[in-house]
Amino acid sequence: MKILVTGGLGFIGSHTAVELQNQGFDVVIIDDLSNSSIEVLEGISRITGKTPAFEKLDLREKSAVQDFFKRHADISGVIHFAASKAVGESVENPLLYYENNIGSLVYLLQELEKKNEANFIFSSSCTVYGQAGKMPITEDAPIQEAVSPYGNTKQIGEEIIKDVVKVSNINAVLLRYFNPIGAHPSAEIGELPIGVPQNLVPFITQTGIGLREELSVFGDDYPTPDGTCIRDYIHVVDLAKAHVVALQRLLQKKNTEKAEVFNVGTGKGSSVLEVIKAFEKVSGQKLPYKIVGRRSGDITVAYANTNKANAVLNWKAQSTLEEALTSAWKWEQKIRKVLAK
Ligand code: WQD
């Protein structure tokens, strides 16, 4: 079976392509290479022994999307990762985010609604909950007003899909990610942030390797046990596997609704200081950091209630925070050697 993975050379997309191939699927990757590199394709094939088909394509170009689907009429499912995802950048340049994240989604869905059957997995995010009132967060927690255009594109994307499945043959699963971290244990693929990392774990590993002076901890005056924000850090391979089981659920027509929603996290919250301590343990070295002011837009706490994914998808995150950080550290050490050449 042929599966389209948009944004498949990105962080989560590439790990999902590996898990799809491991399950015997043929993978076609579309990526515009705006936030990824073609070397990732070789990384995938070094892991699985199979090179996914690849097409460089900008999903904002409607005619290019139409042409792609004319040439690939035998696609059984689509896992849609391709999107701009920098929260801060989305505040500065909202139209870039609405054009890319919403425009691409609309053009993809317009092609899928022409098919007799279409299975669609959407990359959503726990950001749709904002600061949820109750922990752990369940899928029926209220959707709160987005604090960034990026978060808004995820909310709007979910609404578009829920409207479209009602009047088409599309079946969808919306996966609300918590905080993906780590890398494939082979260290052949991993996170490749361009420029200064916005996210905590790549900044930690780059500090660990000496690329960054020290980590700035954005505030220790939150109403949490140690004053720093709490998040649900999930190993990217666990997250990738959740996409495969969600897709298989649709392919086997086991879905009970036309658009099903699942939180994908570990169910465990970790504070920034706890992540630092865990990294120091797995790396065997002290991490230089300083406490600075809060980062605007940050919420205090978010971690998932994963009962629904555990029970309905029969999926559960396997890796601990330390295992995920170990894989992130191994990747950082490997990639610095490669980039230093
Ligand atoms: C985690 C914690 C920071 C960097 C983001 C997106 C979200 C999703 C996951 C796409 C926070 C603190 C961070 C640093 C720090 N992405 N931090 N110093 O903000 O929870 O979620 O990535 O879907 O949409 O918003 O992740 O890794 O940026 O921050 O102290 O240098 O680490 O304040 O408490 P976040 P993050």
Side-chain angles (χ1 to χ4, degrees):
M1 275 192 182
K2 191 194 272 190
I3 305 299
L4 167 60
V5 180
T6 73
L9 295 185
F11 177 37
I12 308 167
S14 55
H15 287 83
T16 302
V18 164
E19 298 309 323
L20 284 167
Q21 289 189 323
N22 288 345
Q23 294 302 315
F25 288 103
D26 289 329
V27 174
V28 182
I29 289 175
I30 283 177
D31 203 297
D32 68 358
L33 298 175
S34 64
N35 190 23
S36 58
S37 73
I38 193 66
E39 283 76 39
V40 173
L41 205 56
E42 291 129 45
I44 293 169
S45 55
R46 279 197 298 274
I47 296 169
T48 64
K50 287 171 282 184
T51 305
F54 171 73
E55 292 197 24
K56 183 176 184 296
L57 195 150
D58 184 340
L59 290 170
R60 290 172 297 186
E61 288 170 33
K62 184 172 184 174
S63 57
V65 178
Q66 292 171 324
D67 170 60
F68 176 88
F69 278 90
K70 277 200 195 85
R71 291 183 287 107
H72 294 274
D74 55 346
I75 281 176
S76 303
V78 177
I79 306 184
H80 180 44
F81 294 102
S84 304
K85 60 151 208 149
V87 173
E89 182 189 49
S90 77
V91 175
E92 303 302 316
N93 194 341
L95 286 177
L96 174 78
Y97 276 68
Y98 290 115
E99 184 196 32
N100 188 28
N101 295 6
I102 305 301
S104 304
L105 176 64
V106 168
Y107 295 153
L108 269 177
L109 293 172
Q110 283 175 328
E111 294 312 303
L112 294 183
E113 72 173 350
K114 295 173 188 169
K115 298 167 77 75
N116 296 331
E117 180 189 323
N119 300 297
F120 191 67
I121 311 292
F122 180 63
S123 162
S124 189
S125 168
C126 61
T127 41
V128 302
Y129 298 114
Q131 176 55 74
K134 201 162 86 56
M135 292 299 139
I137 303 172
T138 55
E139 285 82 355
D140 57 1
I143 302 299
Q144 301 200 64
E145 191 183 342
V147 290
S148 71
Y150 162 76
N152 204 23
T153 64
K154 291 301 179 184
Q155 290 183 12
I156 296 168
E158 290 196 1
E159 291 311 313
I160 289 172
I161 293 162
K162 286 173 185 167
D163 286 344
V164 170
V165 298
K166 288 176 190 145
V167 292
S168 71
N169 299 320
I170 299 171
N171 285 292
V173 172
L174 315 177
L175 296 179
R176 292 175 179 165
Y177 309 159
F178 281 69
N179 286 57
I181 63 167
H184 192 270
S186 66
E188 294 293 357
I189 55 174
E191 200 164 2
L192 274 171
I194 295 174
V196 178
Q198 296 305 304
N199 296 130
L200 177 66
V201 170
F203 202 106
I204 284 180
T205 56
Q206 288 192 10
T207 303
I209 202 97
L211 214 56
R212 309 283 163 207
E213 279 290 295
E214 64 180 352
L215 170 75
S216 297
V217 174
F218 297 141
D220 69 346
D221 58 351
Y222 285 91
T224 61
D226 66 17
T228 62
C229 298
I230 293 169
R231 296 289 185 274
D232 184 332
Y233 297 95
I234 176 171
H235 196 301
V236 65
V237 172
D238 283 329
L239 177 59
K241 287 177 177 171
H243 289 76
V244 180
V245 292
L247 176 71
Q248 287 168 329
R249 178 176 171 80
L250 293 183
L251 291 170
Q252 293 157 18
K253 301 187 180 4
K254 288 184 176 166
N255 53 310
T256 54
E257 295 164 278
K258 295 209 71 192
E260 293 183 318
V261 180
F262 295 95
N263 286 339
V264 189
T266 65
K268 183 180 175 311
S270 302
S271 76
V272 177
L273 291 180
E274 285 170 335
V275 175
I276 292 171
K277 209 188 298 344
F279 176 77
E280 291 180 333
K281 184 174 172 205
V282 305
S283 65
Q285 59 186 61
K286 288 299 284 172
L287 188 87
Y289 70 88
K290 66 183 176 197
I291 307 291
V292 299
R294 293 183 174 191
R295 177 172 69 176
S296 70
D298 274 340
I299 56 168
T300 302
V301 55
Y303 53 94
N305 178 316
T306 59
N307 293 343
K308 188 179 175 188
N310 300 157
V312 175
L313 295 180
N314 189 27
W315 166 91
K316 188 168 175 45
Q318 300 300 309
S319 296
T320 64
L321 174 67
E322 288 183 9
E323 286 162 345
L325 289 171
T326 299
S327 67
W329 181 227
K330 185 180 170 191
W331 163 251
E332 186 67 64
Q333 292 170 298
K334 156 91 179 284
I335 197 68
R336 289 304 143 208
K337 287 200 190 84
V338 169
L339 293 178
K341 279 185 188 140

